[in-house]
């Protein structure tokens, strides 16, 4: 018998939901064949079979919340198992946390919940009572999973600070029977629920403000049309607009470093690097892969990285590491036709730039009315860190660099 375990979920992810089982008890499986799919707050994770054999038992059915290193299923190894193993029906109890399933398996890591017949340390009991924690909220590291005083201290430190209780959800108003019959109720995915929670948290936490400007895209479009064929032939990637915006933002962030900073408790953390988040829409929701050290990259390297991350995002193949650590974000609503919007911050970042649709509009140039391809730019920022002067100056520097791309080459 071989246990199928929850794979590594990333440093900041402690649990996942079993979204889909591709196999049922009694099915023959091959090594590395996908058994199920887990859904975390940010990505979907496929779980392969560790060995060839028969899926003997499903421990965590669909809808179950599982902890890192929890057991998902049992596979009977080898052809003999395939010939003799009798199908064992999957458990049908209501979905619940199976954090305790991590116990009893070699390599499964520390037990998440101490067995009921193990007496926790008296000092740990007292510490849990003082901290308002229950035994199932503390990961025991003592013998046989016994909870020690030090375990309680770690759990208390990791617990979020006490906050005012969230307001109760407003119940939905009654719906006429004719309307109800034509509605469909679908449970939110973990990714969608996380997006909703984080965006609302950003509004509730940051002193968010948005400033606007517009940019004449003639210079970039002319430069791109002139060199796009040579660029693609040499570098093997198309020259898009995103590399210009990334370069313009990295230059502006060096001049206005507070837009690239974040608040940590009572401190402001200034970052001497630029990890550029690029928002990407996927069928399951919005994700923000990160182009690390974008300030050290050239146009070709930026275009290649964005193309690679965008493809992986749409295929659901992004790793947790590829979506962590961003210091500033660019969101392009223009690809969907948005003319103007106010982007919401991606916590704990202090700034996000919104790109929009390029549209021919009449503008006044040297006293003459001319038609130019214009784009509205929006910078949302955290007013706790960034003053209005800094935000406006940042957006003006981005505008100047985009309208005259030569400034990027001369580091102006």
């Amino acid at each position: 018998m071989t246990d199928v375990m929850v794979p590594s979920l990333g440093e900041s992810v402690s649990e996942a939901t079993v979204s889909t089982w591709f196999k049922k008890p009694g099915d023959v499986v091959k090594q590395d064949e996908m058994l199920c799919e887990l859904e975390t707050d940010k990505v979907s994770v496929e779980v392969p079979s560790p060995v060839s054999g028969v899926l003997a038992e499903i421990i965590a059915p669909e809808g179950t919340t599982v902890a890192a290193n929890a057991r998902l299923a049992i596979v009977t190894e080898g052809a003999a198992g395939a010939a003799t193993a009798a199908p064992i029906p999957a458990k049908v109890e209501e979905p619940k946390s199976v954090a305790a399933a991590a116990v009893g398996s070699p390599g499964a890591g520390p037990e998440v919940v101490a067995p009921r017949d193990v007496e926790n340390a008296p000092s740990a009991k007292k510490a849990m009572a003082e901290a308002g924690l229950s035994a199932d909220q503390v990961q025991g590291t003592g013998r046989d999973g016994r909870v020690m005083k030090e375990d309680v201290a770690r759990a208390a430190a990791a617990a979020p600070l006490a906050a005012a209780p969230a307001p109760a959800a407003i119940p939905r108003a009654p719906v006429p029977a004719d309307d109800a019959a034509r509605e469909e109720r679908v449970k939110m995915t973990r990714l969608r629920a996380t997006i909703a929670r984080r965006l609302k948290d950003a509004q509730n936490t940051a002193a968010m403000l948005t400033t606007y400007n517009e940019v004449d895209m003639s210079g970039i479009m002319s430069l791109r049309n002139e060199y796009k064929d040579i660029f693609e032939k040499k570098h093997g990637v198309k020259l898009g607009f995103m590399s210009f915006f990334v370069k313009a933002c990295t230059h502006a962030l060096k001049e206005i470093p507070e837009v690239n900073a974040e608040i940590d408790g009572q401190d402001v953390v200034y970052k001497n690097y630029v990890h550029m988040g690029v928002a990407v829409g996927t069928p399951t929701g919005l994700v923000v892969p990160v182009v690390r050290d974008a300030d050290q990259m050239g146009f070709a390297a930026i275009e290649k990285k964005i193309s690679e991350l965008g493809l992986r995002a749409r295929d659901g193949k992004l790793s947790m590491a590829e979506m962590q650590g961003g210091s500033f974000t660019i969101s392009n609503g223009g690809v969907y036709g948005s003319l103007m919007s106010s982007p919401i911050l991606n916590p704990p970042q202090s700034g996000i730039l919104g790109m929009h649709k390029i549209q021919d509009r009449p503008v006044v140039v040297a006293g003459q009315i001319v038609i130019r391809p214009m784009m509205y730019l929006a910078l949302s920022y955290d007013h706790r860190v960034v003053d209005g002067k800094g935000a406006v100056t940042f957006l003006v520097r981005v505008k100047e660099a985009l309208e005259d791309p030569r400034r990027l080459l001369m580091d102006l």
Side-chain angles (χ1 to χ4, degrees):
M1 297 285 189
T2 301
D3 291 330
V4 180
M5 311 299 296
V6 174
S8 173
L9 301 176
E11 292 182 1
S12 62
V13 180
S14 60
E15 63 180 20
T17 298
V18 181
S19 59
T20 307
W21 275 100
F22 304 122
K23 299 291 183 179
K24 61 182 182 296
D27 285 354
V28 176
V29 298
K30 298 180 181 179
Q31 185 175 1
D32 295 329
E33 185 176 3
M34 294 305 159
L35 298 180
C36 68
E37 185 177 56
L38 305 180
E39 190 176 79
T40 70
D41 292 347
K42 294 185 176 180
V43 294
S44 295
V45 180
E46 292 182 334
V47 180
S49 176
V51 295
S52 297
V54 171
L55 181 59
E57 180 181 0
I58 292 177
I59 297 174
E62 291 182 6
T64 303
T65 298
V66 292
N69 291 328
R71 288 197 301 168
L72 296 170
I74 298 174
V75 175
T76 302
E77 298 182 51
T84 62
I88 302 175
K91 296 180 179 179
V92 295
E93 64 269 15
E94 289 298 317
K96 58 183 180 180
S97 175
V98 292
V103 304
S105 174
E111 298 172 353
V112 178
V113 180
R116 294 182 180 178
D117 58 349
V118 174
E119 185 72 14
N120 294 322
S123 59
K125 291 182 179 180
K126 180 180 178 181
M128 282 189 287
E130 293 174 348
L133 298 173
S134 60
D136 60 357
Q137 294 175 290
V138 182
Q139 180 174 319
T141 59
R143 185 175 181 180
D144 296 327
R146 176 177 298 184
V147 175
M148 309 302 289
K149 185 177 180 180
E150 296 78 11
D151 300 329
V152 180
R154 280 193 295 270
L161 296 176
I170 301 175
R172 189 180 184 217
V175 177
D178 290 344
D179 292 344
R182 293 178 290 171
E183 294 178 346
E184 180 183 5
R185 185 179 293 268
V186 179
K187 183 178 177 60
M188 291 178 69
T189 64
R190 289 180 66 92
L191 177 59
R192 173 54 56 192
T194 299
I195 291 172
R197 174 177 53 80
R198 285 178 58 84
L199 293 181
K200 189 57 184 173
D201 286 347
Q203 287 184 319
N204 294 340
T205 302
M208 194 157 52
L209 191 63
T210 305
T211 185
Y212 302 92
N213 212 316
E214 61 180 354
V215 57
D216 183 348
M217 297 291 289
S218 300
I220 288 180
M221 294 177 72
S222 175
L223 187 65
R224 180 171 175 265
N225 289 334
E226 183 176 355
Y227 292 105
K228 63 180 182 181
D229 293 335
I230 301 175
F231 185 92
E232 184 175 2
K233 183 177 181 180
K234 179 175 181 179
H235 300 292
V237 64
K238 293 182 178 180
L239 177 61
F241 292 118
M242 284 302 299
S243 55
F244 289 95
F245 279 85
V246 170
K247 294 292 287 185
C249 287
T250 57
H251 278 68
L253 289 172
K254 291 180 180 179
E255 181 176 347
I256 316 294
E258 56 266 33
V259 182
N260 197 46
E262 70 176 67
I263 291 179
D264 182 20
Q266 298 299 313
D267 299 327
V268 177
V269 180
Y270 292 91
K271 303 172 183 179
N272 298 316
Y273 55 84
V274 178
H275 293 340
M276 187 68 68
V278 180
V280 178
T282 72
T284 56
L286 183 73
V287 294
V288 187
V290 176
V291 179
R292 306 185 72 83
D293 294 314
D295 54 321
Q296 306 296 321
M297 301 170 70
F299 284 85
I302 291 173
E303 291 289 356
K304 288 179 181 178
K305 193 63 178 179
I306 291 177
S307 177
E308 173 196 341
L309 291 173
L311 182 62
R312 288 171 58 80
R314 286 184 287 273
D315 291 341
K317 302 297 184 182
L318 286 175
S319 67
M320 295 299 301
E322 290 173 316
M323 293 188 289
Q324 294 175 334
S327 61
F328 184 82
T329 295
I330 298 177
S331 178
N332 186 6
V335 296
Y336 305 110
S338 173
L339 187 61
M340 180 178 285
S341 65
S342 300
I344 298 178
L345 288 173
N346 184 22
Q349 297 172 21
S350 296
I352 177 172
L353 180 76
M355 298 168 54
H356 299 93
K357 177 183 178 181
I358 300 174
Q359 188 176 62
D360 286 343
R361 292 201 299 272
V363 295
V364 177
V365 177
Q368 300 294 320
I369 299 177
V370 296
I371 303 299
R372 292 290 175 87
M374 305 297 292
M375 176 192 287
Y376 288 118
L377 298 179
L379 174 71
S380 291
Y381 59 98
D382 190 344
H383 216 337
R384 298 177 301 168
V385 183
V386 185
D387 292 329
K389 177 185 176 182
V392 172
T393 302
F394 173 87
L395 203 53
V396 168
R397 294 293 178 267
V398 171
K399 169 186 169 70
E400 291 173 346
L402 294 172
E403 291 186 336
D404 185 2
R406 295 172 298 178
R407 298 175 67 93
L408 299 175
L409 302 177
M410 301 180 68
D411 197 22
L412 297 178

